[in-house]
Amino acid sequence: MNTTTEKYQRLYVSDISCASCVNTIEAAIGALPGVDDVEVNFAERTVNVSGDVTEDVLIKTITKSGYTACSLQDNSEDTNKENQELAHYKELLKKTIVAGVISLVIVAVTMLDLLPDLTTFKGQFSWGVVSLLSLFVLTYGGGRFFTGALKSFKNHNANMDTLVALGTGVAWLYSTFVVIFPGSVSEIARHVYFDTATLIIAFINLGSALEMRARGKTSEAIKRLIGLQPKTARVLREGHEVDIPIEQLVMDDVVRVRPGEKIPVDGELTEGASHVDESMLSGEPIPVSKKIGDKVVGGSVNKSGSFLFRATHIGKDTALSQIINMVRKAQNTKPEIGRLADKVSSIFVPTVMIIAVLTMNAWFNFGPDPKLTYILVTTVAVLIIACPCALGLATPISVMVGVGKAAEYGVLIRKGDALQKAGQLTTVVLDKTGTITEGKPVVTALETSEGSSEEELLRIAAGVEVNSEHPLAEAVVEASKEKGLELSSIESFEAISGHGVRALYEQKEVLLGNTKLMEDKGVKLGSLQSRSQELSKLGQTVIFVSLDGKPLGLLGISDPIKTDSKDAIKRLQDSGIKVVMLTGDNRATAGTVANLVGVDDFIAQVLPQDKANEITKLQERGEKVAMVGDGINDAPALAGADVGFAIGTGTDVAIESADITLMRGSLNGVADAVAISKATLKNIKENLIGAFGYNTLAIPIAAGILYPFTGILLSPIIAGAAMALSSVTVVTNANRLRWFKP
Amino acid sequence: MGILVNLLGVLLIAFIIWWFWLYKKQSEATIEGSSIDIIVDSGIYEPSVIHAKQGQEITLRFIRKDSNPCSEKVLFNDLDMSADLPIGKPHNLTFTPDKKGEFEFACQMGMYRGKLIVE
């Protein structure tokens, strides 16, 4: 598929003030090509459009008609959904109570033998009333099973409803037949099953209600993310600060955020400074410092100072909205492991029906008397106990919780398959720069020769390097800026390829470069040489600086290792995964970093375009490989790996080449993702074993397989309770994942 | 009597196999224009078999009437698409099928089932 779009859009138009506005807007949008339907809600001031048209075109059209429109984040749908779910839940509970109370009455009169014998007219009449009462329970509490079963049947389809309708329907029909024609069955078989039919309906309604409750909890992660979005924003309008609903906020609005408040949308800080807690989005526990020009993310919490920012992304475009969308989509995908259950559940119900017929015939041919009673009890039990729901729910419900759990830790999983594969990894390949290290080289050592000062060294070096675009040069310039030094004015800058640069400072020759350059130009390094070797061993790159043929000193530059890289690598190794580092650096530098962080192996001097090949080589050896990189330079390697992890810098969620995006820069995200995936996979397996096990054991038992050996038969009432509980158990087990800590 | 009951059993099984597995004429529809309404109610998608043309953009307009949570999601596993269906409000799924074949769609539990046939 090349495009997948949801073509239903909502826009907020703040200045709809009369009915004619409604007509104007409806006419303007209705005339657009691709629009199927447009509806303006005067009360809500919203425009709802369905059809193939972009939001941009809609906003422009409305603006042209003289109104201001903005995109509207559609949270109302979620509130709506919650209300509907709550209503359905209450409805199920009501049905449970009504069916339960009537059932208990019927159970009591049956068990206590309160009604006259069926052979008398009085008896027939009283049991007839019970039959009608049961019919009421069946239609009120179980009507949906019967209509569903009928519709499915007409469509050559069979589902849960079919089984429940058949089971309870047969029990009621048989019992009513006995009431009307008591003489047609032998005396010992003259038994009615109204209590069975009604209790099953009560149990199944209760099961559905409990399941619904538990299911609601599985989407808690999404609800939590939606809850991060504040309802109002304080914006500057005509020089005043006013509180407006978030839907009315438009692009480039300047927004005020005070300490303790949530940032409403994405933007760029324009005034003030603060620390912002982004943990709810990225999992990064330490508040991030923000100054003018920095990006702020909607949904994060302002900790200390008050500031202003300009809105750059609103509505569906905010990082938070995109995260919610991505998590939702991922929750709907099924990993490979669930495919078998899918196949089984597609043939499940007709198969159970066939088993029910076989049960019927087996008891007819080989069963004891009264045959009719045994046939009825076993057949109804088989139909009722079989639970396709547990089987069908086993995988998706765990994926829902697992994907949501991962999102809590700043780990965005794109598909269920990635979740499964991440749980089965044997090797994790880490790109060095930007993944293990910060990716921003800094000056970490300064050594001066006798007679020169650190200040002079840095001032001259930075003066030269300001002309260069090399990443190491940036580190030198940045270091001098930090010390507040004024750059020396440099003339005739000239690069000496592979060795360094040459320039003039106050008519004297300045050289910046490696040992080779200094030797070639006859600069005597003396004690600097041994210091340089020490620094190289620490993985630092050394630059010598000389002025007028005399050494001024040296600078050691390195890309610092992220503070938690080592721990994260250890966590991966502890879970049985081999960790390999991949880098373009030379072997010596790579070896030093590899040693420092404790990876199992490293591959050095790999050109960017060859990274994917290295992944393939590992896969050819039978390894299940994950690649962790920044998602931009490593795209082919990420795509080639079994699981591609893009390590983000905050909230860049749109990394297409990655299966899993880590919103914080820490490698702990990889370890978290692996741990959550493993736990989810284990949970799915438990559910699948449980659901398969339940059905393969329960159906034969209900059919009476134990009877010849133990004389035990399963009551259809127990079957109903077991069935109702089985899907609740699956959902509850999946919910256990919510408390998992990676 | 015995033979009759057993024969009835065999016939019932044969009927189940034929009706649910062999008999394939489900409610079919070909997309006229670019969109089609699919009603989600009482355990089925109606129509449940939809014919579409390769390379032509289509809109599947799902209208969910059933409040049962089973009908809440529709998943196209092979096409990597899914949607959450609100009750009583149409939900449009617009896309261009770019490969031929039969693609099943179903609810999360695989009870509601349908098929998109791209020709």
Side-chain angles (χ1 to χ4, degrees):
Chain A
M1 293 302 109
N2 42 20
T3 50
T4 309
T5 40
E6 180 204 321
K7 294 297 170 75
Y8 177 81
Q9 315 203 41
R10 290 184 80 203
L11 295 168
Y12 182 82
V13 183
S14 53
D15 37 12
I16 296 178
S17 55
C18 56
S20 80
C21 306
V22 174
N23 295 336
T24 315
I25 294 171
E26 278 186 350
I29 292 180
L32 287 172
V35 171
D36 294 333
D37 193 23
V38 52
E39 181 214 349
V40 176
N41 186 323
F42 184 20
E44 280 180 12
R45 296 186 180 174
T46 56
V47 179
N48 306 303
V49 186
S50 54
D52 182 14
V53 61
T54 63
E55 197 177 70
D56 256 14
V57 171
L58 291 176
I59 292 180
K60 273 182 199 151
T61 311
I62 297 172
T63 314
K64 258 192 205 163
S65 317
Y67 302 92
T68 29
C70 63
S71 74
L72 182 60
Q73 201 185 359
D74 206 349
N75 284 342
S76 59
E77 214 159 85
D78 293 291
T79 332
N80 209 357
K81 193 183 144 215
E82 247 175 67
N83 289 341
Q84 283 170 344
E85 276 177 2
L86 189 69
H88 188 59
Y89 172 70
K90 282 185 177 161
E91 179 74 22
L92 286 171
L93 272 191
K94 206 168 106 189
K95 284 180 176 172
T96 307
I97 293 168
V98 172
V101 169
I102 298 178
S103 309
L104 287 177
V105 173
I106 299 176
V107 169
V109 296
T110 314
M111 299 242 302
L112 302 175
D113 221 358
L114 295 180
L115 297 182
D117 194 75
L118 263 176
T119 45
T120 64
F121 173 74
K122 248 185 162 177
Q124 261 186 311
F125 179 80
S126 334
W127 283 108
V129 172
V130 174
S131 164
L132 286 178
L133 258 179
S134 313
L135 186 63
F136 166 73
V137 172
L138 256 55
T139 45
Y140 170 74
R144 66 194 160 100
F145 303 123
F146 291 92
T147 49
L150 195 68
K151 272 203 173 183
S152 301
F153 180 79
K154 278 192 201 154
N155 226 349
H156 299 265
N157 207 343
N159 55 27
M160 243 317 276
D161 297 345
T162 316
L163 295 178
V164 177
L166 272 177
T168 53
V170 164
W172 184 85
L173 277 176
Y174 171 81
S175 308
T176 307
F177 176 80
V178 172
V179 171
I180 301 172
F181 308 107
S184 62
V185 281
S186 65
E187 204 187 327
I188 40 167
R190 205 175 292 147
H191 192 81
V192 290
Y193 297 93
F194 296 118
D195 51 348
T196 308
T198 50
L199 259 184
I200 288 171
I201 295 291
F203 276 136
I204 292 173
N205 274 310
L206 178 66
S208 299
L210 291 178
E211 182 191 320
M212 190 135 188
R213 250 257 146 90
R215 265 200 199 209
K217 290 194 181 122
T218 60
S219 51
E220 221 167 49
I222 280 282
K223 283 184 202 146
R224 197 185 56 88
L225 283 170
I226 291 168
L228 293 179
Q229 170 90 65
K231 300 260 184 289
T232 59
R234 196 173 179 83
V235 297
L236 281 183
R237 293 267 165 96
E238 291 157 5
H240 298 286
E241 285 183 11
V242 283
D243 285 319
I244 57 164
I246 187 109
E247 293 83 10
Q248 292 180 24
L249 203 127
V250 294
M251 288 279 281
D252 292 327
D253 255 341
V254 176
V255 185
R256 160 77 64 198
V257 188
R258 288 163 296 188
E261 282 180 348
K262 270 186 200 156
I263 296 170
V265 291
D266 297 355
E268 205 179 285
L269 203 139
T270 53
E271 197 188 301
S274 184
H275 281 83
V276 173
D277 180 1
E278 294 179 347
S279 62
M280 51 294 283
L281 284 165
S282 67
E284 172 64 58
I286 304 159
V288 190
S289 130
K290 300 282 179 186
K291 51 186 191 303
I292 290 170
D294 282 348
K295 285 183 177 148
V296 291
V297 191
S300 54
V301 176
N302 178 24
K303 295 302 260 190
S304 43
S306 170
F307 63 85
L308 291 175
F309 77 93
R310 186 175 57 82
T312 55
H313 292 96
I314 57 171
K316 283 180 182 165
D317 292 335
T318 62
L320 181 60
S321 292
Q322 287 182 41
I323 291 170
I324 292 170
N325 234 335
M326 190 167 155
V327 172
R328 255 206 193 128
K329 261 191 153 170
Q331 283 183 327
N332 286 352
T333 60
K334 273 184 200 168
E336 199 59 41
I337 191 170
R339 297 284 154 92
L340 177 68
D342 265 6
K343 286 213 174 92
V344 173
S345 62
S346 71
I347 55 161
F348 188 86
V349 178
T351 309
V352 171
M353 286 158 76
I354 291 173
I355 295 173
V357 176
L358 291 175
T359 307
M360 211 156 72
N361 276 33
W363 282 93
F364 176 77
N365 292 318
F366 313 112
D369 280 322
K371 284 192 172 162
L372 213 48
T373 305
Y374 285 108
I375 288 174
L376 195 93
V377 167
T378 51
T379 308
V380 171
V382 166
L383 289 171
I384 295 297
I385 208 162
C387 187
C389 282
L391 210 55
L393 270 178
T395 310
I397 209 80
S398 303
V399 171
M400 288 266 291
V401 185
V403 167
K405 185 85 214 171
E408 265 176 48
Y409 283 84
V411 176
L412 297 183
I413 297 173
R414 193 174 292 279
K415 279 176 77 176
D417 266 339
L419 191 90
Q420 178 174 354
K421 285 180 184 158
Q424 297 166 335
L425 291 172
T426 58
T427 301
V428 169
V429 178
L430 306 173
D431 183 43
K432 194 203 93 181
T433 310
T435 303
I436 296 179
T437 67
E438 298 282 1
K440 286 183 194 130
V442 289
V443 174
T444 40
L446 276 174
E447 195 76 28
T448 52
S449 305
E450 260 189 45
S452 58
S453 70
E454 278 189 9
E455 250 177 43
E456 186 189 18
L457 172 69
L458 204 52
R459 202 155 39 82
I460 293 175
V464 175
E465 293 284 40
V466 80
N467 299 293
S468 167
E469 280 168 6
H470 198 277
L472 294 181
E474 269 177 46
V476 177
V477 177
E478 197 57 38
S480 77
K481 269 190 197 163
E482 263 174 32
K483 296 211 164 167
L485 301 178
E486 218 170 275
L487 302 186
S488 302
S489 121
I490 295 293
E491 291 163 64
S492 47
F493 178 88
E494 178 199 341
I496 306 167
S497 177
H499 297 298
V501 289
R502 183 185 164 276
L504 284 180
Y505 169 61
E506 293 175 347
Q507 300 308 311
K508 289 175 206 160
E509 186 189 53
V510 182
L511 292 171
L512 238 91
N514 56 16
T515 321
K516 180 92 175 38
L517 178 73
M518 296 298 147
E519 279 172 357
D520 286 354
K521 299 282 178 182
V523 180
K524 296 213 164 44
L525 296 170
S527 65
L528 289 177
Q529 186 73 345
S530 58
R531 176 72 180 134
S532 143
Q533 281 160 1
E534 279 168 29
L535 293 174
S536 291
K537 274 184 200 153
L538 292 173
Q540 301 196 11
T541 308
V542 175
I543 300 175
F544 293 100
V545 186
S546 76
L547 180 66
D548 207 16
K550 284 176 202 118
L552 273 180
L554 63 78
L555 300 140
I557 298 172
S558 69
D559 182 4
I561 293 166
K562 290 175 189 166
T563 47
D564 52 4
S565 288
K566 194 177 174 180
D567 288 344
I569 289 167
K570 177 86 178 24
R571 278 179 65 196
L572 285 169
Q573 289 165 332
D574 287 347
S575 62
I577 292 171
K578 195 175 146 195
V579 183
V580 179
M581 183 181 89
L582 199 63
T583 174
D585 287 356
N586 63 52
R587 279 199 69 81
T589 318
T592 311
V593 177
N595 257 333
L596 283 172
V597 294
V599 291
D600 298 290
D601 199 0
F602 67 92
I603 309 168
Q605 281 163 317
V606 184
L607 297 170
Q609 60 269 32
D610 292 336
K611 283 180 181 172
N613 286 338
E614 296 295 335
I615 301 288
T616 316
K617 276 189 210 162
L618 285 165
Q619 285 169 327
E620 278 165 2
R621 275 186 244 153
E623 305 280 348
K624 296 261 177 261
V625 187
M627 169 76 200
V628 188
D630 60 16
I632 301 151
N633 300 318
D634 313 314
L638 290 185
D642 294 292
V643 184
F645 283 84
I647 199 154
T649 46
T651 44
D652 189 7
V653 290
I655 303 176
E656 285 291 334
S657 52
D659 301 306
I660 298 179
T661 302
L662 307 175
M663 281 186 287
R664 72 191 142 133
S666 164
L667 275 181
N668 271 314
V670 181
D672 290 344
V674 169
I676 293 169
S677 300
K678 280 193 169 170
T680 309
L681 213 55
K682 188 168 158 253
N683 198 273
I684 293 174
K685 283 179 189 161
E686 288 163 2
N687 276 347
L688 284 174
I689 291 170
F692 271 114
Y694 166 80
N695 280 303
T696 43
L697 279 178
I699 296 174
I701 292 174
I705 207 162
L706 294 179
Y707 186 79
F709 316 105
T710 59
I712 291 174
L713 262 193
L714 201 67
S715 146
I717 295 175
I718 305 288
M723 194 281 238
L725 272 180
S726 66
S727 47
V728 179
T729 313
V730 164
V731 181
T732 309
N733 186 47
N735 266 325
R736 281 196 314 129
L737 269 179
R738 289 193 298 136
W739 292 288
F740 177 77
K741 283 206 166 65
Chain B
M1 173 72 175
I3 292 173
L4 209 69
V5 171
N6 282 315
L7 190 68
L8 195 74
V10 173
L11 283 177
L12 250 166
I13 291 175
F15 173 76
I16 292 169
I17 293 173
W18 172 70
W19 187 260
F20 293 109
W21 289 330
L22 301 180
Y23 192 95
K24 280 293 165 200
K25 200 185 154 292
Q26 287 161 303
S27 71
E28 291 199 27
T30 304
I31 296 178
E32 305 286 340
S34 66
S35 94
I36 189 162
D37 286 1
I38 302 169
I39 311 288
V40 185
D41 194 20
S42 304
I44 57 164
Y45 295 119
E46 211 171 358
S48 57
V49 178
I50 291 143
H51 294 265
K53 287 208 175 71
Q54 184 187 12
Q56 243 175 48
E57 194 184 72
I58 51 169
T59 299
L60 304 181
R61 204 170 142 90
F62 284 92
I63 303 164
R64 175 185 168 200
K65 293 184 172 167
D66 194 341
S67 57
N68 191 329
C70 292
S71 56
E72 181 186 319
K73 289 170 191 288
V74 56
L75 316 180
F76 290 72
N77 260 336
D78 301 325
L79 301 179
D80 217 359
M81 295 190 310
S82 63
D84 287 12
L85 308 177
I87 302 171
K89 194 170 108 185
H91 183 97
N92 292 357
L93 203 63
T94 303
F95 60 98
T96 309
D98 52 12
K99 52 187 176 197
K100 284 184 186 178
E102 294 192 0
F103 307 98
E104 290 217 330
F105 55 96
C107 71
Q108 234 185 351
M109 298 196 283
M111 288 290 113
Y112 282 75
R113 295 191 157 265
K115 203 187 283 171
L116 175 72
I117 300 174
V118 182
E119 284 139 358

